[in-house]
């Protein structure tokens, strides 16, 4: 099955050729270890790493010494949460997060709970997937040491009120970590404006390489120190030991340089395509629901539920378009998306959801073709859907006592 | 996930999509599954005077394997007697469509749908001891 149109940029992005070109010399020719102080191989590598660090700092509005390189956002989230909980163990043990966070955050929190090292409050979200600053304030306790909330959600694109939550945390003297993986390159993300103390980001979501990411760790007001997860040679101010992935870091740096330079262009490009796509779909089909916030939403993301049509069969019906679904059937778990469930979207609509995420390299022609395919597939599948038939007959599906087979 | 050629064929060219008149006493209707589970199958049979299934139709909300399983089920029941149709097992469907373990529930549902349709037909005919399955047809459906 060949997918020609890639609308899954929230899963990963194609690497920008400029990023690839920037990385190229650092594999075969300039292979030095950035920690080697005794020869030019090492100095060249270190110089490249420091240039990259500066590019990332420029994007986030911070100092280069506040950037720690990691293997990606999952590792960044682990260091941020485990590192803060351990570092502040004498001060408190309470962490606040939300039910729609990425598994890298949720599973880390659950691990800390299960080992008795933290109490965690998982905030519920509203029907658009948002938490409010009031909710965060109400959850704070005397022993709260960390609030960890993503800037924007990967599945639905909903953006939390990060600046307000940052201001609250600063006022209360509580560290604020934000997983900015999806926000970077799609929204302005200035750590001072947002009052974020720790932030995670990943290379491959911003047209950079996989296997590299970064953690922003504030150095003053407040000075954040994190107990390392990986011990070793004391690289990265002791917060993340391990020989630096020089080509990856160079790629991440170049990706961040481009993200800063192109932020307005990329944002408008994606928003234009996303809105065009949504209008085409909503103009041609009824019973389509938007999952996520209509306004406070990533400009590239459209998560739509096509009622009466199951997500995996939808994906089969648009073989030329690469997308992802919140349906259980695309995962091994057979559980529909926990993010959509948290919004109160019924399981039936979660099974009917498809995420379309545009990117820098998506074209108008691709979006138009994808819309035609989607509309055709939905119409065809509704023709063979018993639920659509019942709905057309005026039967309220919620009144039916379904034979929820015990095999499920 | 890679689909077998047979699943793709049934998905792309589903056999016997449609509906039969449920008011007809020779028609049996089975609806199984639930929207919350991501699968609902409706399978209908029309039985001739001599007890042979002369027509079958389906509609399915579900993944490609669920659509293929129900499409195959309609193909298989046609021309069979009620008793013969009852002998169709989900494992036969798994084998025919090369369903992976994670999709076996689709075949189970298809077998349930066949049984539910046959059960409905028998109860309409007033056949004693008609209940073939524990699962009643969902109330509120099909008037």
């Amino acid at each position: 099955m060949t997918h020609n149109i890639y609308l899954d940029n929230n899963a990963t992005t194609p690497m920008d050729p400029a990023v690839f070109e920037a990385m190229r010399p650092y594999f075969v020719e300039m292979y030095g270890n950035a920690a080697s102080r005794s020869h030019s191989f090492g100095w060249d590598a270190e110089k490249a790493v420091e240039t990259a660090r500066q590019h990332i700092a420029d994007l986030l509005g911070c100092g280069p010494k506040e950037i720690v390189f990691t293997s990606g956002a999952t590792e960044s989230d682990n260091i941020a949460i485990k590192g803060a909980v351990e570092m502040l163990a004498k001060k408190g043990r309470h962490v606040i997060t939300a039910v729609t966070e990425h598994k890298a955050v949720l599973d880390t929190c659950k691990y800390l709970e299960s080992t008795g090292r933290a109490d965690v409050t998982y905030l519920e979200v509203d029907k658009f997937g948002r938490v409010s600053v009031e909710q965060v304030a109400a959850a704070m306790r005397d022993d709260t040491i960390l609030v960890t909330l993503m800037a924007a959600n990967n599945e639905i694109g909903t953006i939390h009120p990060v600046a307000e939550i940052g201001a609250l945390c600063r006022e209360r003297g509580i560290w604020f970590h934000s997983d900015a993986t999806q926000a970077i390159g799609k929204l302005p993300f200035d750590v001072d404006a947002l009052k974020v103390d720790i932030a995670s980001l990943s290379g491959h979501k911003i047209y950079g390489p996989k296997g590299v990411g970064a953690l922003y760790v504030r150095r003053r007001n407040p000075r954040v120190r994190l107990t390392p997860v990986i011990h070793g040679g004391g690289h990265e101010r002791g917060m993340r030991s391990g020989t630096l992935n020089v080509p990856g870091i160079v790629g991440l740096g170049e990706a961040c340089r481009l993200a800063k330079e192109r932020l307005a262009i990329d944002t408008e490009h994606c928003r234009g395509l996303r809105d065009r796509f949504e209008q085409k779909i909503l103009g041609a089909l009824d019973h389509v629901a938007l999952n996520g916030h209509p306004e406070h939403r990533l400009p590239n993301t459209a998560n739509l539920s096509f009622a009466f049509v199951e997500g995996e069969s939808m994906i089969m019906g648009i073989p030329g378009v690469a997308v992802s679904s919140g349906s259980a059937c695309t995962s091994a778990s057979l559980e529909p998306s926990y993010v959509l469930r948290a919004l109160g979207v019924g399981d039936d609509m979660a099974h009917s959801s498809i995420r379309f995420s545009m990117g820098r390299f998506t074209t108008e022609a691709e979006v138009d073709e994808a819309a035609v395919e989607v509309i055709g597939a939905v119409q065809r599948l509704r023709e063979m859907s018993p639920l659509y038939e019942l709905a057309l007959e005026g039967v309220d599906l919620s009144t039916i006592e379904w034979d929820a087979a015990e095999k499920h | 996930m890679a689909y077998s050629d047979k699943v793709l064929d049934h998905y792309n060219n589903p056999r016997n999509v449609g509906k039969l008149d449920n008011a007809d006493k020779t028609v049996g209707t089975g609806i199984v599954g639930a929207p919350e589970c991501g699968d609902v199958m409706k399978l209908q049979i029309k039985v001739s005077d001599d007890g042979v299934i002369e027509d079958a139709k389906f509609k399915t909300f579900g993944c490609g394997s669920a659509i293929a399983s129900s499409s195959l089920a309609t193909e298989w029941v046609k021309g069979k007697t009620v008793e013969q149709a009852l002998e169709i097992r989900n494992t036969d469907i798994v084998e025919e469509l090369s369903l992976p373990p994670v999709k076996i529930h689709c075949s189970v549902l298809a077998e349930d749908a066949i049984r539910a349709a046959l059960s409905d037909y028998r109860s309409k005919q007033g056949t004693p001891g008609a209940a073939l399955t524990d699962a009643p047809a969902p109330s509120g459906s099909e008037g």
Side-chain angles (χ1 to χ4, degrees), chain B residues 28-55:
Chain B
T29 301
I31 301 185
V32 295
E36 296 74 26
C37 301
D39 305 285
V40 175
M41 286 183 193
K42 184 179 106 170
L43 195 143
Q44 292 181 298
I45 50 161
K46 183 173 169 60
V47 184
S48 67
D49 294 341
D50 51 359
V52 174
I53 298 170
E54 58 181 14
D55 201 3

Side-chain angles (χ1 to χ4, degrees), chain A residues 112-164:
Chain A
L112 291 170
E113 278 185 304
S114 70
T115 54
R117 283 185 274 178
D119 300 333
V120 183
T121 297
Y122 301 90
L123 298 174
E124 297 294 328
V125 295
D126 67 15
K127 64 177 177 175
F128 302 120
R130 260 193 141 204
V131 297
S132 68
V133 66
E134 291 78 15
Q135 273 179 286
V136 179
M140 284 177 170
R141 312 192 317 207
D142 291 342
D143 64 343
T144 304
I145 50 169
L146 180 72
V147 171
T148 173
L149 288 170
M150 62 194 354
N153 184 273
N154 48 309
E155 284 192 36
I156 54 176
T158 294
I159 301 163
H160 285 318
V162 178
E164 288 94 323

Side-chain angles (χ1 to χ4, degrees), chain A residues 174-239:
Chain A
I174 295 167
W175 288 355
F176 179 32
H177 166 244
S178 186
D179 181 341
T181 306
Q182 292 292 342
I184 297 291
K186 301 179 188 128
L187 304 168
F189 194 88
D190 181 297
V191 292
D192 284 338
L194 299 172
K195 294 191 169 65
V196 167
D197 302 317
I198 316 168
S200 305
L201 65 111
S202 174
H204 76 101
K205 307 286 192 191
I206 54 170
Y207 314 98
K210 293 168 182 63
V212 64
L215 186 65
Y216 159 74
V217 185
R218 185 176 289 279
R219 267 165 69 87
R220 59 179 67 88
N221 304 319
R223 177 175 175 80
V224 174
R225 289 164 62 237
L226 301 171
T227 304
V229 171
I230 294 178
H231 300 84
H235 310 74
E236 299 297 279
R237 295 163 56 215
M239 277 189 270

